[in-house]
Structures are given as structure tokens and as C-alpha cells.
Amino acid sequence: IFHYILFDILILPLLQDWNRTWYTANPDLTQCFQNTVLVWVPCIYLWLLAPFYCLHLYCHDHGRIHISCLCAAKMVLGFLLASFGFVEFFYILLERSQDIQHHMVFLLSPIIRSMTVILALCIIQLERIRGCRSSIFLFLFWVLAVVCSLVPLRAKIQLAMDEGIASDIVRYLAFFSYFTIQLAQLFLCCFADQPPEGKPILEKNPCPVKDASFLSKILFWWFTGLVVKGYRTPLAAEDLWTLREEDTSYKIISELQEDWTAERAKLQKQEKALVSGVALGSRLPDQAQLLRKLQKKQSSGFFLLSTLARKFGPYFLTGTLYLKGAQTYDAPLWKGYFYATLMFLLSCLQSLFNHQYMYTCFTVGMRVKTAVMGLVYRKSLVINSAARRTCTVGEIVNLVSADTQKLMDFVVYFNAVWLAPIEIALCLFFLWQHLGPSALAGIATVILIFPLNGFIAKKRSRLQVRAMKFMDGRIRLMNEILNGIKILKFYAWEKAFLEQVLGYREKELKALKKSQILYSISIASFNSSSFLIAFAMFGVYVMLDDRNVLDAQKVFVSMALINILKTPLSQLPFAISTTMQAMVSLRRLGKYLCSEELKVDNVSKAPLKDVAIENGTFSWSAEGPPCLKRINIHVPRGSLVAVVGHVGSGKSSLLSAMLGETEKRSGRVTVKGSVAYVPQQAWIQNATVQDNIIFGREKLKTWYNRVLEACALLPDLDILPAGDATEIGEKGLNLSGGQKQRVSLARAVYRKADVYLLDDPLSAVDAHVGQHIFDKVIGPKGVLRDKTRILVTHGMSFLPQADLILVLVDGEITESGSYQELLSRHGAFADFIHTFASTERKESAIQRGKETLSSSSGKLKTCKLVMAFGISSISLFFFFFIKLTYGLSIFNRGDTTNSNLQNMEPVSEADEEQVPEDLGKLTEVDKARTGRVKLEMYRKYFKTIGLAIIIPIVFLYAFQQGASLAYNYWLSMWADDPIVNGTQIDTNLKLTVFGALGFVQGIAIFGTTVAISVCGIIASRQLHMDLLINVLRSPMSFFECTPSGNLLNRFAKEIDAIDCMVPDGLKMMLSYVFKLMEVCIIVLMATPFAAVIILPLAFLYAFVQSFYVATSCQLRRLEAVSRSPIYTHFNETVQGASVIRAFGEQSRFILQANKRVDFNQTSYFPRFVATRWLAVNLEFVGNGVVLAAAILSVMGKNTLSPGIVGLAVSHSLQVTGILSWIVRSWTDVENNIVSVERVNEYADTAKEASWSIEGSSLPQAWPHRGTIEFQDYGLQYRKGLELALKGITLNVGIVGRTGAGKSSLALGIFRILEAAKGKIFIDGVNIADIGLHDLRSRITIIPQDPVLFSGSLRMNLDPFDTYTDEEVWSSLELAHLKNFVSNLPDKLNHECSEGGENLSHCLILCLARALLRKTKILVLDEATAAVDLETDTLIQSTIRTQFEDCTVLTIAHRLNTIMDYTRVIVMDRGNISEMDSPANLIAQRGQFYRMCREAGLV
């Protein structure tokens, strides 16, 4: 029966009535067809898919929605619709009973229709109960219903016009009302229902996509609010929406991490099964796994749909359009309009699918970025020290900046890799159908283009790896320069490091340049591909047979197909290129994520003993030599253990072993309870003092104050501008070494842990402060008396109070026992104690603030001079860059404990009330500019390139497009050629001209792309150099208030954008602008009337673009600004990883990292939605252009030649694409020019004086005597502050006062701070008149914090290569390092790791630097505090002998060495109060006498 009905009702009438429908000037469908097929199609759709949809709703419950007005309206209209069907059913039964036998169908249709509407109503209710707010399913149903009702609607209107409405008024009214209600339902379906109940909105600014309806989602209308807001006022961070839950770090990474951990475990098993040293290539499967997980959410479906729409739409349309337009002049007009409309609808569908796909891809890309950043960050917290040495902070920053970007691009373009070949195959298939065997010529051309590009891609992949390697090196070096900038300035080494960075940069750019030239060949081959294919095909086609003629239909259908080919052909090299770069990045990420981790079982938590190591052997890396051997320790609960030994004997390694930071070769380590750790080099976060001490715990007021008091921090807090709420710079920039150490200690004490591991915390503080801390914190009466304390120390005076002393020699414990036991054994320890006890006893009572300045004038007879300061002395300190709003009159007050906090406090009581909020602020947050990018930036960018290159480029572009226009026009003339006897004349000539024009265009394309790439490289080289020089020429104060993250961000991400993104954007923009001109000329040639449409459209586009750029640019800036804190945080974490692990704070830091990444994503998400919003809305307008062009050509078909019509329509098809690309690429350029703006920011900051002065007549040997003379010298730390040194006039060689961290004397002599008044003369030359490098390279300082740069040992001693190897060795010998260095495998070429972590001899190397330079003036800044007494004595004796005829200024902690100096100057409040030899001063019983008495020296 079913078959019978089907055939009888559907097929027969269709066959019979095709004439009535198609081959007629007035088309129509039969009554039967209208009443059956058109009614049933939406019903079948709903009934078939409803079960699946209900199942989907059943599985996804979002909570119940209350009945809203919207829902009620839908229900009411639904019931009305359903009732119509039943009414119609009874109406037919009563009125038409005689016809029923003939047409059972007429009875069935209304019932089916009503039942379907009732089903739809049930679905609406189900959606409401399951919390579905906007339904695609029903939206499509109503669209189908309305579309299917359009045909009967037209028929009814036609009938009414022919016969009058009165003939069957009831049926007419019923049908029209039915149609209206359907439209109303469709309209209501475009809105979203209210949110489900019971889900309170916690976010303060939720993303509107949740509340958007289906229609608003596919057209991105939900975004319009933000665009309007951004157009009115520049967007700020608080205007942005909070991230959706599914995009947050927590959600993404928690799922991914489980998978990845499982994957890694599998991988490591495989690795162990294979040979242990398998190359990294074998790790590709796991990277593929990682990607598979990241790409699970990938929507290839959308892309396929958009591909198919793009594929068949234009083919089917253009083909038929030309057939109709060109041959059948008698064809009815309605077909032209029908095709034009169909074309319009298909283009719209294509736009929708394409942008939904892109949106999904970018969302996935964003999640990939979050995931990778999260994984890398978590990895950096567990990586072991051997692996940590192989990857520097710079490389890790690069992984999260450059490499994640490459992965995000990959996610977006990856599908093109496999879809493009499918598209190409389809196109070629249709061409075969169209042109027959000559299509093979086209296929051959395509086949030739591919291997060439495969080869290019491979070459570029290698170049990419090289460029990334140099970039890593450059970023690593920059990171070190920023960390060691103070040393660079003291030693005048900026130029050497500048050269090194530029060396890396040149190599990086060289690789980039090669890569870009190859890319240009690739682009040129693909862009000329459409011409080459056409040339090959038409050439073969015409040559094969004279009867083969090229008429309009053949030419333009083929050209339309070839143009379609262009998209996949141009996407392919780009997709291959991104895939290749992503593979490189994946390998790098894989390598990092698979690197060795700290083993959890290194330390076992045992309940019995407190700390015990049984038969332990430890090394820093699995392969390296052991650093500790045969270690057996048992520490009873609550005891104090002191660990002593020479520099490099393994004391710090022992603590690391207890923390589980080293590789455990054998034995077992047990630690009971929680651990607190104070590292040798204090690790300070860029946060307030309070945050540094509390370190993530809640603040207990009384305990907190007790800790501050015990750690001697209260006097420091008094002089901080905002007390403990003062912000500390990165790595504790604005604290002295002693203060950093005490904050680090306070952090540990605040913890109330069970076990304390203290790595020489007393070395950086003055002796009396050290005594105070030992008594109040570590010693038997201290706060920690009940805890287990393991103290590494060089201070002998604390040893008698230790319960157990371990003596380490070369990584072995040679002696252990209490102080008395060890003395009675008369071993090495006892001898050591006897040698140094006498000096030490005097020292133990040393009182505050000894600053020792030893000097000898030019005579060989040594004259020594000391500066000492009274207890009451209020020494003045500096603190750079506290922003003083309210113009407080401020001076600095020293701290009685000489802890040198560089700070000040308000003077008058009245002023103190209004301490401004940002007083404690130090670092400047990376700020976003507002408004559109100034023209100045473009001018700057193009100026760096130079006009001489820019003008030819523009001409080349014009030339290229001219050639393209000419060859297209030539084709249309060929097509219009009359056919005589079935052949055309002069085909060979036509072919030759066609070929020549196309070839010229190809050459021009190659020329323009190469030229722009080269320009981009010229500009980026110059901009990078300017940035680098600007940063290196900045004064110290600049680095103290600019986080290194901001600077690294400029050097990594922004320079990367200027290297690649800006030139690429310019290439695209220019090529599309010229392409647009060509299209406009062709369309205007065909139909001049089109100008009416083109002009207003251009204005509309311009308006939309300006509207959009304001928002988009601001979003780009906000995104860039919110990226800096991520890098800063990464940097900090990597450096403090051991502390974070020891305190068990990993989860808190991971949360902080998540927060920063999420904050960055909040501005990234609207950024890519903005592009989609723009593109969808513009393409809809553009599709209007196509419609207009097609309709105009249909209207004027009698006056136009088919060739021109074909040309115009095939070109107008490209307009939408071109226009949206212009806007997009223009916006990209504008967005990326923001990078130029950000790189340029530092051009206007304050700079130091010039490095060297042209034509200065400074003698080569200056200073030859080393006398320093101050004339009425005054120093002030910033304008508006009181002078720190007041009118000092001295001619004895030197003078000094307490400094802040580094004494201001050193800062004055080195001109780190410039004089406020007066002059300093060195050997009679005013130092203000010579270049900074001339000055700094002739005097030497041994700084308080020794810094080594990664590179060879030789580079660290002598970066300019000015000394011979012999001189270097002799300086090492004098510094007692010769044996140590000659035992290293690479001797002088030994690679130091970043920050000199693998050399405990760091400080002594700094002494070797000084010995190598051997200048007449040497400043020692507390340089020997952190070494053991023996080494200290060695260093002191070296300095006395080697610098005998030099001026030496010492700022020391050990005061007993100065009593034999010839002269002491006592200063008070910046003025000289006493000056004489030590003996005379003691006799005078003044301030100096009081100090000596307290020190136990008199």
C-alpha cells in the first residue's frame, strides 16, 4: 500500500507536471504536491528526530525553568495551530464529502499537521523541565514549516488575484492566519527563556553567551553590547566578562592532568622497556595523545559542512547561471532571480557554518593554551635539579608564550590539512566532467605544486627549530641581564652583553629571513596556481582539437571552479606551515613535560625519629658524581644541630637531601612532621612584607608580632613607608641582604613547623643582629627551642650551644658530637677552633652598624681610614620610586640595626595621618593604553623601514593586480570571440598573451612577498635594538620598579609579534585591498549601475570597522598587559621552587597561577569573538552585494555580452570574502601594531648619562694614584628629599657612610646616583665630566650579592676578552681558586648554570674578577660575610697584598680588622663629627670610644 501511495501521490504527478513547474514563464507546483509533500516534510523531520532529542534532554539536566510569558505565548499559539488542523479536518468532512473518495490525502494532512504541533508543544514543556533555554531543534522545525508554506501561500495569493477572494473566503482566511501564527512561532523561537531556578548567579559579570538564544549565538549578536561599550569609552579590565566555568583553568587542567599523568606513566614504562637512551623522536606518540585529548572537543563537523556549502554552492550556481545567462536568451527572467536568491542563501549558510567552526576552534585553542600553561607550571614545581639545569627560566617563559601560540594556531588551521585535498579532488572531478581529458593537465599542475611545497615546509621546519633555539638563548640571556643588572652597571659590562644579545638576535633573524624567502616562493606558487591550472587546461583543451572552442560557459564555469580551488590551495601551505611549527613546539613541550621529576620516595615520613639519614649517598643528577657519601645522622627531637665545613664541602647539599631535592643513590631519609626551610640565598616574593612572612597562612596577630620581634624586623618596619604593607620588589630588590634573610627566616618561624632546616641564615646580617636572632629564635632560649633545628653556620660563637655538631669535609661527615666532645678529640675541628677562637671572641659582642672603609693612598706606605657611626647616628637611607602623592616632605631615617632598609618616613606628625594608599607600592603594573593606535606608531614602523623600499612595494602590488586584471579581461574577450565553422581564430596568439600576463603576475607576487618580509625583518631588527638599548641605558631605579615580567613580555611575545604577525598582516591587507580594486573595476565595467550599491557598502564597511577596531584594539592591549603577571609569577616560582616545596605550598601557587591565566583569558576570549562578530555581520552585508550584482546582470542580460557578465558575476562572488579579509587583516595589523607601541614605551623613560664621551682626553692609565676627593659633596636620593650627604669637603682619599644595601658612597662614586651638589674628584678629574663606562671600567666593586651569568667561566671573568689566559689563571690563583677550576672537566670553559647555582664559590669568583681588573680603587661591599672564617682570612690577606698600592673601601661586618687603620672619620646625620686616628679617637672618649667599648675592644 505504502509503495502504491508513494508512486501514485508523489512520483507520477511530479513527472507529469514538470512542464508546469519548470519549463514555463509562470512556475507552480501541483495542488497534490502542495498538500502532501510540503505538509509532510516538517512533520517527518520532527517525528523522526524527536526520540533522539528527548533522549539528549533526558541526559542533560540544567534545572527547571518557571513558566515565563515567552513559554506561555508559545503554548497558546501552539494550541491555536493544532486546533486549525482539526477544524480543517471537520470542514472537509462536512463540505467536501463527495471529493473524499478521490483524495484521502486531503483528510490526512490536517490531522498529521495537528498531531505534529501537539508533539512540538510536548517538546517545549520537556525543554522547560530540563532547563533548555533556547532550542535549535524546534527553531529548525518552524523554519521548515514556514518555508514549506511559502509555495501554497504564493499559489493562494495568485489564485485570489485571478479569481477574487470571495470564492472560498473561509479557506483563505484560515490559511493566512495559520501562516501568520507559524511566523509568530518562528519569531518567538529566536529568544531565550529565563535561566533555571535554584542556580544563583555568583559571578559579578557573567558572559552573556549563556543567556543568548540559538539565533543570537550563531550570529554572535550577544557580543554587540561589549562592542558598543568599547566604542563609547575605552574598555577596562572590569568591563570584561568572567570566564565561563568550562573555560577556567581549574576545570580544564584537573581533567587533563589525570590523563597526562596516566600517559606519562605508560610512556616511562615503555622507555624502561626500550633502551634507556632512546631519542626524543619516540615520544611523538604521547604528544599526539596529548593533542588528541586537547582536540576531543574539536568540531570537524561544522568545517565539513562549511566546506561542502562552499564547494557545491558556487559550482552549481555559477555554472547554471552562466548557462542560463549566456545561451538561452529566451529563458524566463524568474529563473535568473531564482538562482540569484539561491546563491545568496547558500553564501549566508556558508558564512554561518564557517564562523561557528572558527569560534569553536578558537575556544578549543584557548583551552589548549590554558592546559599547556597549567601543565608547564605544575611541572616546574616538581622538576628535579638536574633537569632544571637544562632548561632556564627564559626557555620556560618561551614555552608558555611562543609555543602555546603555535599550538593555538594549529588547532584552528589543522583541519585544512586533510580537508583541502578532498576539496581539490572534488573540484578536479567537476572540471573533468566539464572539459574532459584536458582537466588532467590541471591535475598535473596541482601535483607539481605539492612536492615543491612539501620540500619548502621541511626546510622551514628546520629553520624554525633553529630560530626558536636562538630565541630561547636570547630570552635566557635577557632574563639574566635583568636579574644581574646591578652588576652589569657596576662593571660597565652593558656593551659586552648587548653584543651577546644582538649576536643571538642576528642568528635568529637570519634563520627567519631564509624561512620567509622560502615562504614567499610557497605563496607565489600557490597564488599563481589558479592561473597555472587555467593555462594548462585551456592550452591543452584548445590544442587537442580545433573544434574545441572556449565560449563564455566553458571559460567561466571552469574559472569559477578554479577560483574555488584557490581557497584550499592557499590554505594548504599555511596549514602545513602551522602544523609543522606546532610539531616543533609539541616536541619542545613534550621534552619539558617528560623531564625527570623529584622522586616522592626520596624522603619518607616516619612517625618514630625526627630526622634520620641511614647510609645515604646523594648526587645532584642521576649520572653525576655523588655530592654526599656515607651519611649517617640521627637527630633526636627538639635538638639543635650545627653543620660546619669549608665552602663547597656539601653543607647545603645535606639540607637539600633532607628536603628530597637531591637524587638519592642509596640509603634512606626519614623526616617527621612538617618542615620549614630557610635557603642560603633568601627567596622573596614580589608582595608585601606581611604576605612574605605569613606565606599563605592566616594572620595571628600576637604570634605575628612575636615573630617580627624575634627576627629583629620591627625597627625595619618602622622606617618602611607603609609598615609591613610595603611592597617588596622582585627578588627583594629594595631590601638589603640582611633584611631579605630575616624576612626569609620570619617566614619559617611563623610556620610553627616541626623541623627547621636553616641554611646559613646568619651570614648576611650584622654580628649583633645575628646574636640577637640566635638568642631569640634559634638558640636554647629562642622561640624554636622545642623544635628540631638543623643549622648550617660559619659563626663559631654559636657552636658551644649546639647539641650536636657535624663536620663536613668533601661531602663526608668526618666528625660529629657536642662542642666539648669535639674539642677533647683534638681533631681537625679542634685545631680550627683554636686558630679562630681568639678573633671570634672579640667579634661576638660587636655592636650596631660598623661600616669599615679601608684605604691606602697612592704611596706604598699604607694609610688606612675608617668610618664609624654612633649608636644615635640617624643615617639617611634611600628608597627609589615610592610614589609620593600629597607631596609629603620626607627624609630618610636609618635603622639602628644597620639593616639598611632603603626607605623614608614622613616628618611631621600632622602629615602622617594622610599616608597615601600607594605609598608602599614599588613596582609599576603593566598598564594598557587606551583609544586607537596613534598614527605615530605606523609612522615609526614605516620610518624604520624607509621610504625608498615602501614606494616600490606599492608599485609592485599595483603591477601585480594590473596583470591579474589584464589576464581576466583577456579571457572574457576570448570567450566573446565569434565562432566560425565551429572554430575560433588565432587561438595560439591568445594563449601566448594569456600565458605571458599570468607569468608576469606570478613574478610580481613573489617580489612583493619577499620585499615585505625583508622590510619586516629590517623593522623588527631596529625595534629590538632600540628596545634593548633603551632598557640597558635605563638607570637602576627603572629596574627596581619595573617587574622583569613586563620586560620579558616585551622581549618574547611582542618582538615575536613584530617579527611575524605585522609583516604577515600587511601582506594580506595589501594584497586584498588591491584585489578589491580589481573586482570593483570589473564589476563597474560590466554594470556601471553597480556603483550605486558599491559606494554605500564601502561606507558601511568603514563604519563597522571603526566601530569594531576601538574594541578590538583595547582588548588586545588588555590581553597583553594581563600576560606580564603570568610571566612574572612563573619566573618567581621557578626560582623559589625548593622553598615552595619545602613549605608544601604548591597548591596555593598553582591556584595563583590559575587565577592569573584565567584573568588573561578573560580578555582573550572576547578578542576572538569580536573577530567572528565582525566577520559574520560583514559577510551578510557582502552577500547582499552578490545578490545585487546577480540581479543587475539578469536585468541587463539583453545589453551585456556573456563574457563580461561571466567575469562580473564570478568576481562579485569573491567580494564578500575579500571585504571581510580586508577588515580582518587591517584589524590584525592594528592589533599587532600595539606590539610596536608597547616596545616603544621604554623609549621615553629616564636614561643614564652617556656611556662614553666623544673626544674625552682621559689618560689611559687613569686613575694612577687612586685619590678620591669630595668637594662640598651632597647626595640626595630623589628630588625633594633632604640631602643624604651634606657639604662634605675632604681631601684624605675617601669618605663613606652607611648605605642602603650597597652603600651610597659606592653609588655616588660609580654614579649609580648622580650628585645633588658638589663634586667628586678622582685623581683630580671631576667624575661628572667623563662617560659612565670610562668611569666604571676604571674602578672595581666586589658586590654583596655575587652574580654569575650562564656561560663559560671565562666569560664571567672577562666578557670583553681583554685579558690573556695566563692573566685569568693568575687571578684565579690569587683568589685561591686555581685548584678548584683546574679540577673542572672543561677548566675555564666550564659552563655556569643560570644564576651560578652550581658554584658555591660564586663570591670568590667575584674576587677573581676584581683581581683581574686590578684597578686603583676597590670597593668591598660586605663581600666576605657568607664565607667561612678561613676563606675570609685568605681573601683579606689577598686584598692586603694585591691591592697594597690601591685605595680600598671596605664595608664589613667584622670590625676587629680596622683597629690598625690610620684614620677614622665618624659621621653623624650626613655631617662629619669626628676625624682622627683610632688611638686618638679612643683617647677623646667620643662616639668612636663608646662603640669600641660595646664591641669589647677597649
Side-chain angles (χ1 to χ4, degrees), residues 1049-1070:
N1049 191 358
R1050 301 291 193 283
F1051 278 105
K1053 191 79 175 105
E1054 310 297 352
I1055 288 288
D1056 192 39
I1058 295 173
D1059 282 349
C1060 311
M1061 319 280 264
V1062 178
D1064 283 356
L1066 282 173
K1067 255 181 246 176
M1068 275 176 56
M1069 191 180 82
L1070 283 170

Side-chain angles (χ1 to χ4, degrees), residues 38 41-42 140-153 179 182-183 186 345:
L38 293 186
V41 165
L140 290 178
F141 167 69
W142 292 117
V143 168
L144 266 178
V146 169
V147 170
C148 290
S149 305
L150 283 174
V151 179
L153 178 73
F179 185 74
Q182 271 187 332
L183 269 180
L186 178 59
L345 287 174

